[in-house]
Amino acid sequence: MANCINTQDSNVVFTRKMKKDYTILIPDMSSIHFSLFKKVFEQYGYKVELLENEGSSVVNEGLKYVHNDICYPALLVIGQMLDALNSGKYDINKVALLISQTGGGCRASNYIHLLRKALNKAGYNNIPIISFNIKGLEKNSGFKLTLSLIDKLLVALTYGDILMLLKNQVKPYEMSKGNTEDLVNFWIEHLGKQFKHDKGYKIKEIKRNLERIVKSFTQIPIFYEEKIKVGIVGEIYVKYSKLGNNHLEDFLINEDCEIMVPGIMGFAMYCVDNSIEDVNIYGGSKVKKISSSLVMKYLKIYENMIIRAIKKYSDFTPPSSFEDLKTLATDIINPGCKMGEGWVLTGEMVDLVKAGYENIVCTQPFGCLPNHIVGKGMIRKIKSLYPTANIVPIDYDPGATKVNQENRIKLMLSVAKENRGLNSLTRKYELTDKKEKTPESKGYKLGKQLKAGN
């Protein structure tokens, strides 16, 4: 009994008084999106910092305080938070932790309880934990998810999706390394300044911003090359998190690939659609179905703005609509399969194959049952319908070495080269007017104009 943990000790509420002085630490799942979320939170008076600490100390802290049967994302997120608290960088008496809580069947619903238990063992039971959820699972008087805040976070998500998509289609081809990242950082700061003055959220402002974002990426000087196109799908954390997937995107770009990562908007719409499917399949409140349908219409407005902006102002590959994604998935898997990433993961793989990204890395935490069913379990069926599909499932957990993961991906890429007849990637065309297409050319002139307020 001496080793028993009182999980209630660290159940400290984040109060209104804390809002002014406390720094809220948030795990960084997707750098572009979460940087924009941070700007929104700051507009509402919260002091927020994204955690970027990595390395063996993060994993070791996770293993020390979280049972290794728990999924890898939980281990990493909790380990990252404890490593940050141990760093001495923060005032332990004026810091809070924010963690998402889905309320679904996935183990992610228990992250907050695992974090409390870990804080107790580590001696940080005075630190408040904020549950980020829309189901009213836990409440903190100093942190409230109002409709206004949720709406602005969805707008930030919209900007994040288009920035991530354009970055991935331009960065592998840029003439001057760093141009794409510089432009992404510029837009994050520029949008943050708009948010600070409560701008950039209205439909007209969003459309204008999306248009200018797309145009700015078309003006980055690039080489025209033929590269292996690779899609990334999987469990939501390891799919997006560089900490969770060992910097998978950077590795693929260094391997001379163009990558496509489906946006978070599709997952958000999938979560809302689940509420509708619950009523369709199991019965229940018609009010729940009607309200969810209204939210879905709202999300489709943002999704359509992304698609239209890309189609109208560029030749980039736009994301597919949620409706198309669901149609593709239902040919293979029932929409009632909705634990974890559910049918949407299967749909994303099919959608990527049809869009030309037939080489796919399916990222999954070891032992993540939903993903082994809707991800790895669907590969054979997808290949039978789409013979060009070249899919490799990669497990991520403390016992999986980065070298082994990368070697398996390299084997997939070698198959891709054989399939495409690209054993040596050759340049097809190259921009010749280098005097005009320099880092100070159109894309960067646009940035200067925006900074000047034009």
Side-chain angles (χ1 to χ4, degrees), residues 372-384:
H372 278 275
I373 294 172
V374 299
K376 189 175 182 178
M378 294 292 106
I379 292 176
R380 183 175 179 180
K381 178 66 174 179
I382 292 172
K383 286 185 174 181
S384 69

Side-chain angles (χ1 to χ4, degrees), residues 277 323 325-335 343 346-347:
E277 286 297 336
E323 291 179 351
L325 191 67
K326 189 172 183 180
T327 299
L328 292 173
T330 50
D331 290 338
I332 298 174
I333 190 171
N334 190 285
W343 61 261
T346 305

Side-chain angles (χ1 to χ4, degrees), residues 49-297:
E49 183 164 336
L50 299 181
L51 295 177
E52 297 180 349
N53 49 317
E54 298 185 28
S56 59
S57 61
V58 169
V59 177
N60 291 337
E61 286 299 314
L63 287 170
K64 186 177 180 180
Y65 295 106
V66 181
H67 196 284
N68 60 7
D69 278 347
I70 296 299
C71 64
Y72 192 45
L75 186 147
L76 284 180
V77 168
I78 295 172
Q80 189 179 43
M81 287 180 167
L82 288 169
D83 181 63
L85 296 175
N86 293 336
S87 68
K89 182 179 178 181
Y90 307 100
D91 183 349
I92 300 302
N93 296 312
K94 289 191 176 182
V95 69
L97 306 176
L98 185 146
I99 192 167
S100 62
Q101 192 176 16
T102 63
C106 178
R107 288 175 288 183
S109 298
N110 299 312
Y111 283 11
I112 193 166
H113 305 294
L114 293 169
L115 178 57
R116 285 195 177 115
K117 186 174 181 180
L119 289 177
N120 287 336
K121 289 183 68 176
Y124 294 123
N125 56 343
N126 64 312
I127 295 177
I129 302 174
I130 301 169
S131 170
F132 186 88
N133 73 86
I134 59 174
K135 297 187 177 182
L137 298 176
E138 300 201 20
K139 297 179 180 179
N140 294 269
S141 62
F143 183 89
K144 291 186 179 295
L145 272 178
T146 63
L147 289 176
S148 172
L149 176 56
I150 292 172
D151 179 40
K152 290 176 179 178
L153 288 173
L154 288 174
V155 173
L157 188 154
T158 303
Y159 290 132
D161 267 9
I162 199 167
L163 286 171
M164 180 179 70
L165 182 141
L166 296 176
K167 183 200 80 169
N168 287 336
Q169 293 189 47
V170 174
K171 186 175 180 178
Y173 305 98
E174 61 187 4
M175 281 187 176
S176 297
K177 298 300 180 184
N179 280 6
T180 308
E181 292 290 351
D182 288 345
L183 190 57
V184 170
N185 291 332
F186 164 77
W187 276 111
I188 290 173
E189 291 303 314
H190 185 71
L191 292 169
K193 291 176 182 177
Q194 290 187 27
F195 295 167
K196 189 175 182 179
H197 296 92
D198 203 28
K199 295 182 179 180
Y201 296 120
K202 296 179 181 178
I203 296 297
K204 288 184 179 180
E205 295 171 340
I206 298 170
K207 288 181 177 179
R208 182 172 181 269
N209 280 332
L210 294 179
E211 173 187 340
R212 301 185 84 176
I213 288 171
V214 174
K215 286 182 177 179
S216 68
F217 277 88
T218 64
Q219 294 164 3
I220 290 180
I222 62 171
F223 292 116
Y224 288 85
E225 300 175 303
E226 191 169 2
K227 294 180 181 286
I228 296 294
K229 292 186 175 184
V230 181
I232 300 176
V233 300
E235 188 273 335
I236 191 167
Y237 182 82
V238 295
K239 173 183 177 181
Y240 295 110
S241 170
K242 56 189 176 183
L243 172 62
N245 60 36
N246 288 325
H247 292 260
L248 177 59
E249 291 183 27
D250 293 336
F251 170 74
L252 288 169
I253 289 176
N254 290 334
E255 290 295 314
D256 216 16
C257 300
E258 177 193 328
I259 59 177
M260 172 70 79
V261 187
I264 299 179
M265 180 64 75
F267 182 80
M269 297 176 80
Y270 154 77
C271 293
V272 175
D273 184 73
N274 282 342
S275 298
I276 300 172
E277 286 297 336
D278 280 345
V279 178
N280 291 339
I281 297 173
Y282 307 111
S285 171
K286 292 184 179 180
V287 174
K288 177 182 177 182
K289 181 177 179 179
I290 293 171
S291 60
S292 296
S293 297
L294 288 173
V295 174
M296 181 63 76
K297 288 181 180 179

